[in-house]
Structure formats: structure tokens, C-alpha cells
Amino acid sequence: MQNLPIGIFDSGIGGLTVAHALKVKLPNESIIYFGDTEHLPYGEKSDEAIQNFSKKIALFLLEKKCKCIVIACNSASSVAFDIIKNTVKNIPVFNVIDPVIEKVSNSCNACKVGVIGTKATISSNIYKSKINAKCPKAIVTALATPLLAPMIEEKFIDGDISKKIIANYLSNKKLQNIDQLILACTHYPLIYKEIRDYYKGEISVINSTNIVAEHIASELKNKTLLNNQFKPKYEFFVSNYTKAFEKSARFFFQEEIKLKEANIWT
Ligand code: DGL
């Protein structure tokens, strides 16, 4: 069991930021990644559609004999976590939200927390309800920032356009006087620096990738599921292959990768 791969999925290629953090944290682990490029962006889809896609992908990863499943997408983590857990009963399922909630709640009493993410993530209200369940006095405000994911995919990063879009969103009145900002989308680690620069170090900007990788590493250790052989294999599947996705994937995973198409819908 220990030497089976970790299964990771996202609506597309954003989840590769999580896959990369996992590869750095757990270099012995094999990874099977699935990006649902045919159906992205999940952030614009209904809960039901995201749940159906996610369920199918979880079954694909189960068939590939993964030892656990990581939902490397905030939109799917927000609305499909319970359904996936019920579908995949015998292996651990991790989302990208709970480890962040744990971290924020430990350092927050009556603090003011801002959250940015896709429309699906923000309208689920999940961050507010989970933080307030642990810290009833925390004030949580959230803003959907749907232009950021396509902006990052098109590599509009660290330039005039990205600065303007980021400033426009972050100056929204919902995000004023916050102590912490949660980047609730797996694309956003790529603009972490720009967002931090916007705040000039005055607030804490929470990038979930390392927090999630740490959490998964410690859970796998507790469950004696860490790989004990140094022979990791990496496989990357997408539901719709294009050369453009492959090029962007390299940018998100920070190294050259080959994508394979897997049609899992029929
Ligand atoms: N990676 C997705 C997330 O974390 C955002 C992209 C999408 O909308 O599909 O929510």
C-alpha cells in the first residue's frame, strides 16, 4: 500500500502548484495527476456539475490504485469533498481547505480574515463557516476574483495588467482592514509575491500549497502510508489535451512535463 501513488486532481492545471509542493516535501512519492481541462473552469460551474465531474475523477484515481486522493482545487474541495469521501471509502481523501482553516484558526481570535477565490468557492461560504466554527469571533469576508485564474494561465504576471487587476480586486470594500488574506485558489500561489507586494508586508498572505503539503505528509506518516522506496513515478493526465495546456503545465509544476489524454467520461 505505501508504495502506491498519491492521486491528485484539479479542474485543470492550477492543482499542479500543489503537486509541485508535494513533490518537494515528499520526494519519494509517486504521483498520478488528473486535470479536467475539458470542463474547466470549475469556478463557473454549478455545485452539481462539479460534484459529478469530481466523483468520476476520484473513481479514475481509484482504478489507478492510488493510496490517497488530494483534491487540489478549492472549488471542488468546497462543494465535492463529502461526496468524494463517500465514493472512495477505503482510502484517505484530502482537500486544500481544512489544513488552511486549522492554521488560520490557531493564529486568530477576533481577527479579520479576507478570502479570495472562484465564484464556486466563495458562494459556498465554506471558509467563513469553517473558520467561525473554530473561532466564533473571527470576522471573515470573501470576494470572488474570477479574472485571476485565466490571467495567471495566460501568464499575465508581474506586469501592469496583473497589478491593475489585483489592485482593483484587493481594494474592494469587503477586503478592507483585514489581518490575513487566504488565497483560496490553487492558481494563486503564482501571484503570491504580487499580492504580498500590494500589502507591503502589512498583512499576512496565506499561500496554501506548503500548508497542504505539510498536512498530507504528516497524515501519511501517521497512517504509515509513506513510500519507503526511492523510485517515484509521475504521470499527468488531462481530459482534453492541447499543446497549450502542456506548455502552461510546465509553468505551474515548475518543470517540463508530458500530459496524456484520458477520456474518462464515456
Ligand atoms: N484551480 C481552481 C480552484 O482552486 C480554479 C480554476 C477553476 O475555476 O477551474 O478553485
Side-chain angles (χ1 to χ4, degrees), residues 189-258:
L190 295 175
I191 51 168
Y192 170 71
K193 192 184 151 300
E194 267 183 275
I195 292 181
R196 227 186 34 189
D197 289 351
Y198 172 88
Y199 287 111
K200 301 190 173 70
E202 282 156 14
I203 71 155
S204 134
V205 179
I206 299 164
N207 180 4
S208 62
T209 46
N210 290 337
I211 301 171
V212 169
E214 293 275 347
H215 172 78
I216 293 170
S218 102
E219 286 292 303
L220 292 181
K221 186 166 178 246
N222 291 343
K223 295 180 196 307
T224 54
L225 278 176
L226 283 177
N227 196 337
N228 49 26
Q229 292 176 357
F230 191 78
K231 271 196 297 185
K233 263 180 56 187
Y234 304 100
E235 274 189 294
F236 301 90
F237 293 94
V238 285
S239 47
N240 183 254
Y241 173 89
T242 66
K243 273 209 170 344
F245 281 134
E246 197 160 64
K247 212 167 151 212
S248 300
R250 193 180 312 155
F251 173 58
F252 280 81
F253 194 62
Q254 298 181 36
E255 62 186 83
E256 191 90 23
I257 56 180
K258 286 261 166 278

Side-chain angles (χ1 to χ4, degrees), residues 25 76 95 122 149 156:
K25 180 76 197 160
N95 66 58
I122 300 306
F156 282 104

Side-chain angles (χ1 to χ4, degrees), residues 125-197:
N125 218 19
I126 193 150
Y127 279 88
K128 183 172 166 46
S129 55
K130 288 198 170 192
I131 293 173
N132 280 148
K134 286 181 181 279
C135 303
K137 286 191 190 150
I139 299 163
V140 184
T141 50
L143 180 74
T145 50
L147 271 184
L148 296 182
M151 177 191 92
I152 296 164
E153 274 175 28
E154 292 302 324
K155 299 204 184 78
F156 282 104
I157 287 179
D158 249 334
D160 294 347
I161 292 174
S162 58
K163 278 196 175 51
K164 282 209 171 99
I165 296 175
I166 289 170
N168 191 290
Y169 278 138
L170 300 184
S171 60
N172 188 290
K173 64 176 187 311
K174 285 187 177 163
L175 299 177
Q176 299 319 298
N177 306 315
I178 52 175
D179 306 306
Q180 318 193 28
L181 179 72
I182 299 177
L183 307 187
C185 174
T186 52
H187 280 65
Y188 300 174
L190 295 175
I191 51 168
Y192 170 71
K193 192 184 151 300
E194 267 183 275
I195 292 181
R196 227 186 34 189
D197 289 351

Side-chain angles (χ1 to χ4, degrees), residues 9-17 33 36 39-45 50 71-78 96 117-121 146 149-150 153 183-188 252:
F9 82 89
D10 176 42
S11 56
I13 48 186
L16 287 167
T17 58
Y33 183 91
D36 192 6
H39 297 123
L40 67 78
Y42 277 13
E44 305 288 315
K45 302 288 185 299
I50 298 172
I71 311 171
C73 173
N74 273 269
S75 310
S77 294
S78 299
V96 285
T118 65
K119 289 179 192 164
T121 299
E153 274 175 28
L183 307 187
C185 174
T186 52
H187 280 65
Y188 300 174
F252 280 81

